Amino acid sequence: MKMMMEDIWREFCGESGFSLLEFLSHPSSCTNHALIICFDVVLLATLLFTLIRKSSSKSVHVPVRFHGCSTLQVVSAVLNGCLGFLYLFLGIWILEEKLRKFHTTLPLKWWLLTLIHGFTWSFVGLAVSIKVRQLPRLPVRLLSILAALFAGYVCVMSSFTAALNKEVTIKVALDVLSLPGATLLLLCAYKGSKHDEISDENILHNGLYTPLNGEANGIGEGEFVTSFSKAGCLNILSFWWLNPLMKMGSEKTIEDEDIPKLREADRAESCYATYLELLDKQKQKDPSSQPSTLKTIVLCHWKQIFISGLFALLKVLTLSAGPLLLNSFILVAEGKQSFKYEGFVLALTLFVSKNIESLSQRQWYFRSRLIGVKVRSLLTAAIYKKQLRLSNAAKLNHSSGEIMNYVTVDAYRIGEFPFWFHQTWTTSLQLCIALVILARAVELATIAALVAIVLTVLCNMPLAKLQHKFQTKLMTAQDERLKATTEALVNMKVLKLYAWETHFKNVINTLRNVEEKWLYAVQMRRAYNTFLFWASPVLVSAATFGACYFLEVPLHANNVFTFVATLRLVQDPIRSIPDVIGVVIQAKVAFVRIIKFLEAPELQTVRVRQKYNPHSLNKAVDIKSADFSWEEKLPKPTLRNINLEVHPGEKVAICGEVGSGKSTLLLAILGEVPLVKGNIQVHGKIAYVSQTAWIQTGTIQDNILFGSPMDGRRYQETLERCSLVKDFELLPYGDLTEIGERGVNLSGGQKQRIQLARALYQNADIYLLDDPFSAVDAHTATSLFNEYVMEALSEKAVLLVTHQVDFLPAFNSILLMSDGEILQAAPYYQLLSSSQEFQDLVNAHKETAGSERLANISTAKEHGISGKEIKKSYEDKQFKTSRGDQLIKQEEREMGDTGLKPYKQYLNQNKGYFYFSMGALSHLIFVACQITQNSWMAANVDDPNVNTLRLIVVYLVVGLISSLFLLARSFAVVALGFESSKSLFSQLINSLFRAPMSFYDSTPLGRILSRVSVDLSIVDLDIPFALMFAVGASLNALANLGVLAVITWQVLFVSLPVVYLAFRLQGYYFKTAKELMRINGTTKSLVANHLAESVAGVVTIRAFEEEERFFTKNLELIDVNASPFFHSFAANEWLIQRLETLSATVLASAAFCMVLLPPDTFSSGFIGMALSYGLSLNMSLVFSIQNQCTAANYIISVERLNQYMYVPSEAPEVIEENRPLASWPNVGKVEIRDLQIRYRVNAPIVLRGISCTFAGGHKIGIVGRTGSGKTTLIGALFRLVEPTGGKIIVDGIDISTIGLHDLRSRFGIIPQDPTLFNGTVRYNLDPLSQHSDQEIWEVLGKCQLREAVQEKEEGLDSLVVDDGSNWSMGQRQLFCLGRALLRRSRILVLDEATASIDNATDMILQKTIRTEFADCTVITVAHRIPTVMDCTMVLAMSNGQVVEYDEPMALMKRDDSLFGKLVKEYWSHSQSADSN
């Protein structure tokens, strides 16, 4: 035993015996070194104990802004981390010098001491500095005291040594510097834990931290938060915290609720709060300039960027140790070992270095991805917040489609960037280290290698510039296409009614062709880039070996394979350069677009609204000599010289002709229209009801409550006041019925009344109602006016825009508007006597009301329902069982392992299999060529019969041949991607345009938009390369394993079980990962949906001052989407780390085989080849798995596109064998026979056996209360819904037997919701360009729009922006009339077409329709009874059935006539206008 101890001591010291005298007299003695190593071990043991204590203890929750590191911690981490790394470098350098000069590692003391000390110092320094606040207080203080004592001892000893030897070495300098490092650690330990004490007491108890939404932001009792938040250091390093989720995924299909929430620091709210805080600090520093968003984002995350950078550095250093170890290995194989067990030490070192490399790379990637998630969350939140405040001028430059694109595409691309950021410098560093290693191996020939690398990079520069240019063009083209697609999808019903789908689809296809042109250009540049960098190792080796020949540098196995191994290690980072460049370019382009949006002008509403104080003021609205203008530079403001005072309890009506500025006045009071001059003050809370109903996806109850708490009594009263109780009885789930997007499953009247209920429930001070009665029938309008406006709002200030003259006498004041000015403001009778314009308006109403026809008809009693009855029926309803299905289904996603199905779907497109096979085959030949190259070198490098020239020429010829196959592979990838994208887009767009309306009714727009934006973008740009790289990287990994196994076949005993284990691990991983990525896809739609809805309803959101609630909801949805993505990439790292450990085992086993077997078993050339392939096994395996996972994640986009590529389509557009004559319909006779309609299978029947005939040329009026089925009947006529039973025959042809395009293009319609498209006036009237300008001007004259269009400078080329928002609602309806006049159909349908038009204009229009369509069949659905008074026949409907069908006068004479009741209701409040 004693002998053994002496041997060990000799190996360590190079001398025998322990001397106390030497220990005391000589500070650098061997005894001293041994003592320092023991100290290091004690420190490491204490740290491990501290970390284990931490992971098992429960830490107090500290609010997120205190999770960051202080400046002291950062300085300590930097100093101690650098000291540790410098010690490690010094140790490696001492070892390397020993081997070079003496060919031995003995004695161990100098290099072993330095390495162990370096490892201990870096580990302890970084752990205590960064994690001090999360570690238990007592152990961390003890650890820092020990470290300080130890550093003091080492510092004293080294100073003594320097004094004795009279020289200062690097080690002495480092030892002295470790004392200030330890002092910083001590300060960190005490300050950090002191901070914990303060934060425990103050922060948690005194509530210094208030989150955005005003709620306690701490993690709630029942919240299921990710284990990552509580994980200790070892737990984080090994990804052990992810095990429970992986286990759950292997046992069952993961659902949304199984995914834990993000820890608080990573949530959108925290990220955005930090961002705002730093942005404010920058503004305070320099108030004159705009703070840099990029700088702010970097400042938010610089600590995480720094830590991930340290891991990246460690990875590069450990990776670079590989070729040095290989060099030593070949020397050992040639019998030149330095000491007895050097081979074993090298094999063990190889295993350890590969594991450290794996650990550091996994942490680098994981932390970088986490930064990416936080940046994406932050930007999405910032974009959402911005669109809530965007000014109307800015909206012209940023359409809703573009805003959607900023979130779904641009923020996504920027979120990808942090993952690639460190690769921008690590690749350069790796190349520099590689050049140093090469300089040792091939001496001056390194210069040739350097020149080859520089040439490769220089060749890439013009390509990168071009790629940047093309990427910008591609993004712009993508925006244009998305804008058009969004518009078409939103207005699909209108497109179908007008039979314009084909035209709009062609417009989108044309825009897509432009996009494809730039896509092809971008992908080709990427292909050239890829080829250049994949071929660069061939170029570098050609240059280097050529230089070796001419410079007569001797080639031996050790220097050739050190060179090959170095080249193999840097070729993967070099190959990723095109990806890095691509990502940097995409991120830069995306960032510029987002910055432009974030810096767009905002609405200035601050000075308009003030809190309501009933004691100090009695004015609710006070406007003095004000001018308002939508655009700053307009010569004539939109509203001019406005003077208005409204007091609480006062009712003000606003009336005037179409386009006179009524709605604009309400928007000006809301602060939506910029004030040019004058003053405006608004006191109190506002409730606003817009002219176009804005309804959110969700339940009716949610829409009414609109964020307010439920008050049962007030809610019940609200429903009664808004006449909604009866409607809820008919809905399958009452007020808990899910409403489709934009309220598709509600009638126009129901939508409007839900809006009114929302306003009333808010109990505001000022009510701004923009023509709320236009979409409801006369009875409901009267009921709403009396119960809602006059009773419920009796004490409120009300401004009501209306065209219904009947209600005007009840108002305190009436504003008569014309051309943006208030002509007069006075009570009804005063205005009637003093204003000719107002008299014309009232007279027009009387004429249309048809009073002369009612003279002989006796009045009937009104059949109302008492409030008590309503209440009782509602209460009864609460106990009824619900029936039917909810309309909006949960978003569909594939479940479980779909295997190769999505890949087949992708490759099935346009010769996909052919291009893919070509690419894969080319890559296989490339790999085979590389192996041939290296085998030739391994077999002949030390063969004296093969001269150097022949050796090099054969090597290079094989290399050049392999490059040609690389080029073929690059072209195959581009062809595969381009053709597949074209085919998938074409099928998707065809499917969407041919889908029935029921699909759009039940599918939120966000789901479709996320597919045509982000999923399509992934299919276009990412999938082809990801797929080919997955195949290529897998072939590389198999080649590496194969070479290792062939040369050292004994390693198969280890590698076969390892490969089996790897496949099992991958299968285990995929069960969880695929579901996580699918859920990531579906939750992405939630963010897109919420954004689309908010953009559409932003005026209402601002009016109710609900921005904060919507923003909070948006933050929640961002987190719901970020969590599956976070766990998905964490799972990726979890898998790769385990696979890398397995591959390190294979490599170490191969190394042990070489050491254990007799020295002559392998030639040194083949040992070099085996190890050079083995060293890159880790990296190639990582690249293989990474690319497979990336491809598997990306292919989910194909899965998602595929879900909407095969939507069951409508009937054919054209049935060739059954086309009607060009003149059909020539009479216009419509026969409806026993028509039955249900919207979906299993849904209740909506039309119940309707039978009637509309004679050709007759004017038919369809009347009935709200929800009676009037609009459904029109839908059936246009076949938006196919009949369940019965049929409709038009001029002898059953409409279900002909093509939809033939049917719809022959009918004219003016739809219920007037729709305008982005473009010009001409395009909106005649998108198919079938008419001349003269015809269009004629039509504009007939529909009262000529003057409005002539006023604009561009005339017919005047701009129509998103949704036609720069034209009033009435003008939009006039445009729709213009379309009908241009089409000149034999059958014209008016679906409540004049609801938003004043009576005078309505009268002119009715005359126009009577004149222009004199011999046509005109079917009018109306709420305004006068509209149908001069009809030939009236069809009265109730509850989906025909109640009566006869001439209007005949019906009015019948006592029990529904039509008679409706007329009398209308006439009774019309008479009340006179009697008042």
Side-chain angles (χ1 to χ4, degrees), residues 1081-1249:
T1082 54
T1083 52
K1084 210 179 280 172
S1085 300
L1086 297 176
V1087 178
N1089 240 1
H1090 187 248
L1091 176 69
E1093 267 187 353
S1094 303
V1095 171
V1098 71
V1099 176
T1100 305
I1101 295 168
R1102 286 199 287 246
F1104 285 97
E1105 296 181 317
E1106 287 287 339
E1107 297 100 320
E1108 210 50 62
R1109 180 172 66 86
F1110 273 79
F1111 182 58
T1112 306
K1113 171 77 173 165
N1114 180 58
L1115 293 176
E1116 280 170 24
L1117 292 175
I1118 293 170
D1119 290 340
V1120 163
N1121 175 228
S1123 183
F1125 182 64
F1126 166 77
H1127 288 93
S1128 165
F1129 67 71
N1132 196 349
E1133 303 306 333
W1134 176 93
L1135 170 71
I1136 293 174
Q1137 189 166 53
R1138 279 142 186 77
L1139 290 176
E1140 282 184 328
T1141 307
L1142 293 176
S1143 75
T1145 311
V1146 173
L1147 178 61
S1149 307
F1152 275 116
C1153 275
M1154 292 170 187
V1155 174
L1156 289 168
L1157 292 168
D1160 301 330
T1161 312
F1162 310 104
S1163 75
S1164 56
F1166 278 106
I1167 284 180
M1169 183 178 170
L1171 286 181
S1172 70
Y1173 272 83
L1175 281 172
S1176 58
L1177 178 65
N1178 245 26
M1179 191 178 275
S1180 63
L1181 192 71
V1182 169
F1183 269 80
S1184 165
I1185 300 300
Q1186 223 168 22
N1187 284 305
Q1188 282 178 41
C1189 294
T1190 305
N1193 291 342
Y1194 283 155
I1195 209 75
I1196 285 167
S1197 289
V1198 174
E1199 232 175 53
R1200 284 165 55 77
L1201 291 184
N1202 204 59
Q1203 285 162 350
Y1204 288 173
M1205 269 162 51
Y1206 302 103
V1207 177
S1209 61
E1210 292 184 300
E1213 288 192 312
V1214 174
I1215 299 172
E1216 286 300 338
E1217 64 275 12
N1218 208 4
R1219 297 201 70 169
L1221 297 169
S1223 59
W1224 181 87
N1226 49 2
V1227 179
K1229 182 184 178 187
V1230 180
E1231 295 173 69
I1232 302 172
R1233 296 182 187 170
D1234 192 27
L1235 184 67
Q1236 295 175 2
I1237 296 278
R1238 57 158 54 99
Y1239 276 107
R1240 293 178 317 285
V1241 184
N1242 303 329
I1245 288 184
V1246 188
L1247 294 187
R1248 308 151 186 262

Side-chain angles (χ1 to χ4, degrees), residues 990-1009:
N990 285 339
S991 169
L992 289 174
F993 273 82
R994 296 288 302 120
M997 273 319 295
S998 56
F999 168 74
Y1000 290 96
D1001 290 349
S1002 58
T1003 309
L1005 189 63
R1007 289 183 196 173
I1008 307 173
L1009 286 180

Side-chain angles (χ1 to χ4, degrees), residues 464-772:
K465 278 183 182 171
L466 274 175
Q467 198 177 350
H468 182 270
K469 176 187 163 189
F470 293 153
Q471 184 72 36
T472 310
K473 300 269 190 193
L474 175 65
M475 294 286 228
T476 311
Q478 192 181 50
D479 270 355
E480 289 301 314
R481 192 250 314 155
L482 251 181
K483 205 166 163 182
T485 310
T486 308
E487 191 169 55
L489 293 172
V490 168
N491 301 311
M492 189 54 78
K493 184 176 180 182
V494 174
L495 298 190
K496 288 186 182 298
L497 289 170
Y498 286 124
W500 284 349
E501 313 103 299
T502 310
H503 170 72
F504 273 77
K505 190 175 76 181
N506 292 341
V507 168
I508 290 168
N509 281 329
T510 308
L511 291 169
R512 174 68 179 175
N513 290 341
V514 174
E515 187 186 354
E516 280 170 354
K517 183 181 99 178
W518 296 117
L519 174 66
Y520 184 72
V522 166
Q523 295 294 67
M524 279 307 285
R525 296 304 154 282
R526 200 168 160 193
Y528 290 138
N529 257 352
T530 309
F531 164 69
L532 197 60
F533 285 102
W534 274 70
S536 60
V538 177
L539 183 67
V540 172
S541 51
T544 311
F545 287 140
C548 285
Y549 175 70
F550 290 112
L551 295 169
E552 296 180 357
V553 175
L555 296 179
H556 295 296
N558 65 337
N559 68 347
V560 165
F561 282 101
T562 300
F563 170 78
V564 170
T566 309
L567 207 56
R568 286 187 69 78
L569 287 179
V570 294
Q571 72 186 16
D572 279 325
I574 286 176
R575 284 167 185 174
S576 67
I577 287 175
D579 289 331
V580 176
I581 291 166
V583 168
V584 170
I585 288 168
Q586 286 176 357
K588 188 181 173 214
V589 172
F591 200 74
V592 167
R593 285 151 49 82
I594 288 179
I595 294 303
K596 191 179 166 192
F597 175 69
L598 292 179
E599 290 175 358
E602 294 183 3
L603 271 186
Q604 303 299 318
T605 54
V606 186
R607 56 207 175 120
V608 174
R609 293 209 204 174
Q610 290 162 19
K611 286 273 181 264
Y612 181 48
N613 185 347
H615 304 297
S616 62
L617 275 162
N618 64 344
K619 289 179 191 171
V621 179
D622 187 12
I623 307 177
K624 286 177 183 162
S625 310
D627 287 5
F628 298 92
S629 182
W630 283 113
E631 294 169 51
E632 285 176 22
K633 294 167 188 171
L634 280 182
K636 190 166 83 170
T638 319
L639 296 179
R640 295 174 303 286
N641 196 28
I642 303 293
N643 288 290
L644 175 65
E645 276 186 21
V646 184
H647 302 274
E650 203 174 329
K651 308 284 176 283
V652 177
I654 306 168
C655 52
E657 63 193 14
V658 168
S660 57
K662 303 182 293 298
S663 298
T664 309
L665 179 59
L666 294 190
L667 292 173
I669 292 168
L670 285 172
E672 294 287 323
V673 192
L675 177 71
V676 180
K677 75 164 201 195
N679 287 309
I680 173 169
Q681 286 191 323
V682 179
H683 302 278
K685 186 180 172 187
I686 297 178
Y688 171 65
V689 175
S690 56
Q691 195 167 9
T692 315
W694 176 69
I695 304 289
Q696 279 182 277
T697 307
T699 65
I700 295 176
Q701 190 180 91
D702 292 341
N703 270 281
I704 294 172
L705 296 178
F706 206 56
S708 300
M710 169 59 102
D711 175 340
R713 192 170 173 184
R714 178 151 60 107
Y715 181 72
Q716 186 58 47
E717 195 181 313
T718 301
L719 297 186
E720 286 166 20
R721 298 276 193 202
C722 298
S723 313
L724 279 168
V725 178
K726 202 93 185 281
D727 298 87
F728 288 177
E729 286 179 12
L730 302 172
L731 292 169
Y733 288 81
D735 63 343
L736 296 177
T737 301
E738 289 269 351
I739 305 179
E741 200 162 30
R742 302 178 307 284
V744 286
N745 47 338
L746 298 172
S747 72
Q750 286 169 328
K751 282 191 266 190
Q752 205 53 285
R753 281 178 289 136
I754 286 170
Q755 280 215 117
L756 285 165
R758 173 169 66 206
L760 180 57
Y761 191 79
Q762 298 305 309
N763 193 24
D765 305 306
I766 303 161
Y767 280 76
L768 307 178
L769 312 176
D770 196 351
D771 202 9

